[in-house]
Structures are given as C-alpha cells and as structure tokens.
Amino acid sequence: MLLSIEGEEKSGKTTLAYTAPLPIVGFSFDLGTDRAINGTKYDEWFKGLKIERVPYGAEVSWNGNDITIYDLPRPIQLNQEALSGFMELWAYFIQLCASAMMDKSVSTIVVDTMTLCRRIKADAYLQELQEEVAKENAKDGKNRRPRKQLLQIEYGHANDSIRNLYDLAQSMGKNFVAVHHLTDEYKPQLKSDGTVESMPTGTRVLEGLVGTYRYQDLAVRNEKKGSGIETKILSCGYNLGLEGMAIIGCSWDTLAGMISGSLGGRIQIQRRGQEVAAK
C-alpha cells in the first residue's frame, strides 16, 4: 500500500508511519524519529524491536534489523550563491532508497518527510546549476552571477524525481509511506481596489508535489484532539466510501483492516507481523 500521512508538527505522523509492516527502512530528513518511536506508543508498537539509527554518510546495512532509519540532515550553508552538499545528500539517499525498494526482504519504505525530500532535490538541482556557472566563469574568465533560486518551471525536475519514487514503489510491490508537512493555501482573491492578489484562504493543505493524492492508495491527515490523535481519511483509492472517516489512535493495521473489511476481504493488505513472503 502507498500511504500519504500529513499533519501539523507533533501530530503523530512519524509514529503512524513506523507502525507499518516490518522490516522497515526509513529515511529521516526531519530527524524526529526518536520522539516518535520512544513516545507513548513505544510499548504497543516498538518495544523489543531491533531499531538502528544510521548517521549520514555511514555505510550500514538494514539486514537483521526490524527498523533501520537513515538520518539525512540538511547541509549547513554559508553562502546561498554557492550551495554545497545537496547533490551528495540526494545521491546518498536515492542509492539507498532504490536498493531498499529492490530488496525482497524489506516490507516498507518510509520517507519522513517527503516535503523536505522534495526541497533537498530542488536544492540539489540549484547546486548543479550554480556549479555549471562557476565552471563557465573559470573557463572564459567572465563573472556571471550564480542563481539564488530556481524558476517555477524548474521545480519540474524535483517533481519528476518524487513521482519516480512513487512509481518505483508501486512497480516493486512495496509498502511505501510518505509523510508530509502542511502549508497555507493561497488563491487569487479580488481586493477592494479591484485588483486580484494571491492571498491565504485560511485552509491548511499538503506541502509538496501537486497532485500527490493521485499517486497514493490512501491519504490521511493527523490532527490533535484533546490528549489523542485523530486520523482522517482524505482519499482512498480502494473504497471511496471510506473518505471522510476519522479514527482515534490509528495505526497501519487499523487502516488495513478497515479497507479489507469494507471490501469483504477481497483485498488483503499486509499487516505488522506478516512476513514479506506472504505479500
């Protein structure tokens, strides 16, 4: 199953992601997995598991682990006109991610967050453009100014890379969880002076690739409700009738059971405790 989880900060997104079937290989751009795993759901979902955090750049395999999490921190920058480290970070991530996708022993891939993953890819492309300008300047002695940001149309480069991740997970039959931040929605609005300006609508929407739901089997949003977390189904390709339903204390198995039950068991989604071979 391809699952999208969105929500505000500290709304249980990462915890929900790591309740997916084992073994899990996770990629942490957000660096918040310690709190998520060792929090209130630890005894229920993570106690007794072999969990390994891998620092950026280390060559450590996931073999033998229940959960392996690769830390992918954003490189510290001193000069916005000469980005560094983003191309290397993306290359490290994409090689590991592709290997995990193709490893039959791995049940689930988690990207936390896909929002930051997309930003890293965009900055990697900007770094590439800046380095091309630097090479041209060194070659002919000119002093061309490097780019400080991408043009809107150039984000298609990053978007294509994210779509490729979804497509690869689908083709390899992997469980794939993409976690997303939220951002303010902007729409053109008519002002009192007759001009039109893009302004916030007051609605919070997924921050990332436009049309993300099209690439998911299931999309949910987490929201704090008192002392608990409510998970609302936003999009469900298995059964449209489930859209709008809300669950308190949700897990991957809760969602899998709800989908399977609503379809009379015709579709069986792998759950925690089921071996990879059973897929």
Side-chain angles (χ1 to χ4, degrees), residues 163-176:
R163 291 189 193 97
N164 289 342
L165 291 176
Y166 295 137
D167 291 342
L168 182 58
Q170 184 104 42
S171 66
M172 300 303 297
K174 291 294 182 187
N175 298 314
F176 187 83

Side-chain angles (χ1 to χ4, degrees), residues 143-181:
N143 188 27
R144 301 175 184 85
R145 297 283 298 179
R147 299 272 297 281
K148 290 186 178 181
Q149 62 185 21
L150 295 178
L151 302 175
Q152 190 63 39
I153 193 173
E154 292 173 329
Y155 278 92
H157 192 85
N159 292 340
D160 287 344
S161 296
I162 300 306
R163 291 189 193 97
N164 289 342
L165 291 176
Y166 295 137
D167 291 342
L168 182 58
Q170 184 104 42
S171 66
M172 300 303 297
K174 291 294 182 187
N175 298 314
F176 187 83
V177 185
V179 182
H180 299 272
H181 293 154

Side-chain angles (χ1 to χ4, degrees), residues 101-125:
M101 293 268 199
M102 292 183 286
D103 189 336
K104 294 181 179 180
S105 71
V106 175
S107 285
T108 306
I109 310 294
V110 173
V111 178
D112 182 19
T113 63
M114 190 62 82
T115 301
L116 294 180
C117 179
R118 178 173 173 267
R119 290 182 194 171
I120 293 297
K121 179 54 180 172
D123 284 335
Y125 185 49

Side-chain angles (χ1 to χ4, degrees), residues 97-258:
C97 188
S99 296
M101 293 268 199
M102 292 183 286
D103 189 336
K104 294 181 179 180
S105 71
V106 175
S107 285
T108 306
I109 310 294
V110 173
V111 178
D112 182 19
T113 63
M114 190 62 82
T115 301
L116 294 180
C117 179
R118 178 173 173 267
R119 290 182 194 171
I120 293 297
K121 179 54 180 172
D123 284 335
Y125 185 49
L126 179 57
Q127 179 186 340
E128 181 181 342
L129 296 177
Q130 290 178 344
E131 291 184 0
E132 288 177 359
V133 171
K135 289 178 181 178
E136 291 174 357
N137 288 342
K139 184 177 180 180
D140 59 22
K142 294 184 178 181
N143 188 27
R144 301 175 184 85
R145 297 283 298 179
R147 299 272 297 281
K148 290 186 178 181
Q149 62 185 21
L150 295 178
L151 302 175
Q152 190 63 39
I153 193 173
E154 292 173 329
Y155 278 92
H157 192 85
N159 292 340
D160 287 344
S161 296
I162 300 306
R163 291 189 193 97
N164 289 342
L165 291 176
Y166 295 137
D167 291 342
L168 182 58
Q170 184 104 42
S171 66
M172 300 303 297
K174 291 294 182 187
N175 298 314
F176 187 83
V177 185
V179 182
H180 299 272
H181 293 154
L182 296 179
T183 188
D184 290 325
E185 178 187 54
Y186 280 78
K187 287 186 176 180
Q189 297 186 40
L190 183 65
K191 299 175 63 177
S192 57
D193 60 3
T195 61
V196 176
E197 182 179 342
S198 181
M199 301 177 65
T201 65
T203 300
R204 298 284 281 171
V205 295
L206 179 149
E207 181 182 358
L209 176 66
V210 174
T212 289
Y213 296 165
R214 293 202 305 266
Y215 304 98
Q216 311 298 318
D217 297 315
L218 181 67
V220 302
R221 177 178 293 190
N222 276 9
E223 185 177 348
K224 294 179 184 178
K225 292 289 184 179
S227 60
I229 301 294
E230 179 185 87
T231 300
K232 186 176 182 179
I233 298 177
L234 303 179
S235 174
C236 182
Y238 296 107
N239 185 349
L240 299 180
L242 296 178
E243 295 179 1
M245 294 190 66
I247 308 134
I248 299 294
C250 188
S251 69
W252 173 285
D253 284 0
T254 305
L255 295 169
M258 180 178 294

Side-chain angles (χ1 to χ4, degrees), residues 21-25 48-51 62 64-68:
L22 305 171
I24 298 173
V25 176
L49 298 183
K50 185 178 181 183
I51 302 173
W62 48 77
N65 295 335
D66 294 303
I67 299 177
T68 308

